[in-house]
Amino acid sequence: MPRRDRNKFVRRGQLIELDIVDYAFGGKGIARINNELGNFVLFVPNTLPGQKVTARVVKSKKNYAECKLIDVLQKSVDEVDLNYHEISGAPYINLPIEKQHQYKYTSTMDLFKKIGKVTDIEDYFDEFVASPNLFHYRNKMEYSFSAIGYDHDKKTDVDEFTLGFKRRGTWWIGDNLDKDSGIFDKQLEDSLIKIKNYCEATGLAPWHAPKREGFFRYLVVRKSFKTNQLLFNLVTTSHQLSTFDLNAFAQFLVALFGDRVAGLLHTINDEQGDRTIATTGSITLIYGEDKIVEELLGLNFEISMKSFFQTNPKSAEKLYSKVVDYALEDKDAVDNSVVLDLFCGTGTIGQIIASKSNNTKIVGVDIIASAIEDAKLNAKRNNIEGLEFYAEDVGKFLSKYPQYKNKIQTIILDPARSGIAPKTLNKIINLNAKRMVYVSCNPATQARDTETLMNAGFKLKKISLVDQFPHTSHIETVVLFEKQ
């Protein structure tokens, strides 16, 4: 017998109009229901105070509900009109950047008070680092093909060939991107409609998500800010592949973008899952090169279609500079020593520290083997010595190499959004390092780990916020800890 929804305010699956009156961390707008039954809170991601929205209830509890945004019916008085195609990936693009920064700062400080138990966190605030580029800052975008589109006038789904992004709140409806979104590359996005028309004219079908069939699936594009080149990856199924001329498609792209086209790759993805790179698929170079080159703080990095690389490279330079500044604040503790770069990814931070210090050995560890391979290649390319990289789980690495205990003065931490597993964090603490620079793309888990570090004798010395993703709720934080 199905469980009955006993919530007296809303029920799961209900579509409801709400007035957003407040803002919580992570881009969650807050709406409230106050009536004779009591007070009830509803959280709606990607909304702002002052907006009226339509949302669907996805989780209903006794005192609150989690909702999914469906439509913005009325904008906030703080929003301004911009001549960009509205996309769900940039929900705050119409909000002046000063307001965006204010929301991010206030909600992040509140997290450290509530979760990290740092009631005076403002006293340690160092800097809010804005993105150098407020628009067109991304270096990668994934566009989806779909056989189901959306009629904005009738507000219903329709059968049509689309190329753009998924309709907000759905996984089966596509929405054409007809012009520049203000987030990626203007020339590319203004021309996306031409690419859609070319593909549609072939007579081959776009992906039909509910039926799990079709030919065209994704168009992934990477951009180099150093060279201004574009690297394309067309993702299709193998169905009727012999009837599609990949070389002609490459020449079509060259006709559109000229020497900006670094290369075209083709990926076959016959899997049912909704991801661009299939675990069992193949990727083939059709035209040009399979990599582009990007520069960060004077160092060059080759980026393949599969490589992890910071999405906003200009802001990443600011982020890395802040991390390095914190690490080298006590340069004597870094020179002629070993620095552990844990969760190092492609090793960018460690390479920069090595290039700016004297006789420093950097030991980088990350569980993703392909990232470690990129790290080794990039270090060789930039002629930086004194680096060792290990493709291992950080916790297992620290158990495997106990010789680092009591030998490390500085540790760099840059974990995934989930933060650091408690057992692994305890192993890091037991190294008895004097200083840690902790970078996070999720201040909530960083605030959680902050309480653990402070209970272990570390003092929070400084915190900075770096806005890597304008017009979204995301914020990066850099915190300097020192042993008391």
Side-chain angles (χ1 to χ4, degrees):
M1 183 175 178
R3 179 182 177 274
R4 297 179 64 184
D5 190 344
R6 295 184 176 88
N7 193 297
K8 57 189 177 183
F9 291 97
V10 296
R11 66 183 184 279
R12 188 163 59 89
Q14 181 179 352
L15 202 63
I16 186 171
E17 285 190 11
L18 297 169
D19 292 312
I20 306 300
V21 296
D22 207 345
Y23 181 91
F25 178 78
K28 290 185 177 181
I30 297 174
R32 292 187 173 92
I33 297 175
N34 301 306
N35 57 30
E36 66 279 1
L37 298 175
N39 301 318
F40 192 72
V41 175
L42 303 99
F43 296 99
V44 188
N46 298 325
T47 59
L48 290 168
Q51 289 180 336
K52 180 185 286 290
V53 304
T54 303
R56 178 172 286 110
V57 179
V58 294
K59 184 187 295 183
S60 179
K61 298 293 185 179
K62 183 179 179 180
N63 298 315
Y64 74 95
E66 298 279 357
C67 303
K68 178 182 286 187
L69 175 64
I70 302 300
D71 269 314
V72 176
L73 303 176
Q74 179 180 306
K75 291 185 177 181
S76 165
V77 294
D78 292 326
E79 294 182 88
V80 297
D81 291 327
L82 297 174
N83 190 30
Y84 294 123
H85 190 120
E86 183 179 327
I87 62 172
S88 59
Y92 306 133
I93 195 167
N94 293 315
L95 187 69
I97 197 66
E98 296 79 15
K99 281 280 186 179
Q100 294 184 39
H101 290 174
Q102 178 187 328
Y103 281 130
K104 291 183 179 185
Y105 170 82
T106 302
S107 59
T108 302
M109 294 296 106
D110 192 49
L111 273 182
F112 275 84
K113 290 177 183 178
K114 291 180 177 178
I115 300 176
K117 307 296 193 299
V118 188
T119 56
D120 56 348
I121 184 66
E122 290 91 351
D123 294 343
Y124 304 102
F125 177 68
D126 177 17
E127 185 180 6
F128 192 111
V129 182
S131 173
N133 296 339
L134 298 181
F135 299 95
H136 306 112
Y137 62 83
R138 288 185 62 94
N139 64 0
K140 182 183 179 183
M141 201 68 97
E142 296 181 356
Y143 304 99
S144 300
F145 290 95
S146 177
I148 305 173
Y150 187 76
D151 188 315
H152 289 264
D153 295 325
K154 297 180 180 178
K155 297 190 180 303
T156 185
D157 56 322
V158 293
D159 293 332
E160 68 172 353
F161 192 114
T162 68
L163 176 58
F165 300 105
K166 296 292 175 62
R167 170 73 179 162
R168 177 186 285 138
T170 70
W171 56 270
W172 66 94
I173 300 176
D175 209 354
N176 279 318
L177 186 69
D178 298 326
K179 64 176 182 179
D180 176 21
S181 70
I183 302 300
F184 184 49
D185 183 89
K186 175 175 170 54
Q187 184 190 15
L188 183 282
E189 293 194 332
D190 282 342
S191 302
L192 200 67
I193 190 74
K194 297 177 182 177
I195 298 175
K196 187 210 80 164
N197 291 340
Y198 179 97
C199 294
E200 186 174 12
T202 65
L204 295 168
W207 185 249
H208 194 294
K211 293 182 179 179
R212 304 294 185 192
E213 64 183 27
F215 177 72
F216 294 105
R217 297 196 69 168
Y218 300 97
L219 180 68
V220 185
V221 190
R222 277 192 179 275
K223 174 182 177 178
S224 165
F225 282 86
K226 177 182 175 69
T227 66
N228 200 35
Q229 286 189 302
L230 301 170
L231 180 63
F232 293 85
N233 181 24
L234 179 67
V235 183
T236 73
T237 64
S238 59
H239 180 65
Q240 293 184 302
L241 177 59
S242 60
T243 66
F244 183 73
D245 191 334
L246 287 162
N247 290 307
F249 182 67
Q251 293 307 312
F252 169 73
L253 293 177
V254 172
L256 281 179
F257 305 109
D259 57 9
R260 292 196 70 196
V261 179
L264 168 66
L265 297 121
H266 173 244
T267 295
I268 294 176
N269 182 357
D270 285 327
E271 294 182 1
Q272 301 297 299
D274 189 22
R275 55 178 176 266
T276 55
I277 305 297
T279 55
T280 59
S282 63
I283 185 165
T284 305
L285 179 64
I286 305 301
Y287 171 86
E289 303 293 329
D290 63 352
K291 293 183 177 70
I292 51 176
V293 177
E294 190 57 274
E295 182 179 299
L296 285 179
L297 296 173
L299 302 180
N300 289 317
F301 299 88
E302 280 193 359
I303 307 167
S304 69
M305 195 54 73
K306 292 184 178 181
S307 298
F308 168 79
F309 199 75
Q310 290 286 353
T311 308
N312 181 347
K314 297 301 180 184
S315 187
E317 288 189 320
K318 298 288 186 180
L319 174 68
Y320 293 150
S321 292
K322 180 58 67 175
V323 175
V324 173
D325 286 348
Y326 281 6
L328 297 182
E329 193 171 272
D330 184 358
K331 196 166 182 291
D332 291 338
V334 174
D335 288 343
N336 305 300
S337 72
V338 177
V339 173
L340 284 184
D341 185 7
L342 303 181
F343 315 97
C344 69
T346 55
T348 309
I349 294 173
Q351 290 186 57
I352 297 170
I353 291 176
S355 69
K356 293 180 178 293
S357 55
N358 299 315
N359 197 31
T360 301
K361 179 180 179 181
I362 307 292
V363 177
V365 185
D366 198 284
I367 196 171
I368 301 176
S370 60
I372 291 298
E373 287 304 311
D374 283 343
K376 292 177 180 178
L377 290 172
N378 288 327
K380 185 177 181 180
R381 183 176 300 109
N382 290 303
N383 297 313
I384 299 176
E385 299 180 349
L387 296 102
E388 292 182 7
F389 292 107
Y390 296 86
E392 294 198 44
D393 172 81
V394 169
K396 292 179 179 178
F397 171 85
L398 295 178
S399 297
K400 188 176 178 180
Y401 297 91
Q403 65 265 34
Y404 291 111
K405 186 174 182 178
N406 300 317
K407 299 290 179 64
I408 304 296
Q409 296 190 67
T410 303
I411 298 176
I412 309 297
L413 302 170
D414 190 4
R417 290 188 61 79
S418 57
I420 305 172
K423 288 184 179 180
T424 300
L425 185 56
N426 285 331
K427 290 179 182 178
I428 294 170
I429 291 169
N430 290 334
L431 290 170
N432 293 322
K434 294 181 179 179
R435 307 167 72 251
M436 294 188 191
V437 184
Y438 189 155
V439 191
S440 177
C441 59
N442 186 357
T445 54
Q446 187 185 44
R448 177 202 68 199
D449 295 341
T450 291
E451 183 183 19
T452 303
L453 288 168
M454 294 181 73
N455 288 337
F458 283 90
K459 179 177 174 58
L460 193 156
K461 298 288 290 185
K462 291 182 179 180
I463 177 171
S464 286
L465 278 62
V466 182
D467 191 15
Q468 291 243 82
F469 303 100
H471 322 309
T472 76
S473 62
H474 299 294
I475 190 73
E476 301 250 350
T477 42
V478 185
V479 179
L480 173 62
F481 295 95
E482 289 186 354
K483 203 66 173 286
Q484 291 181 303

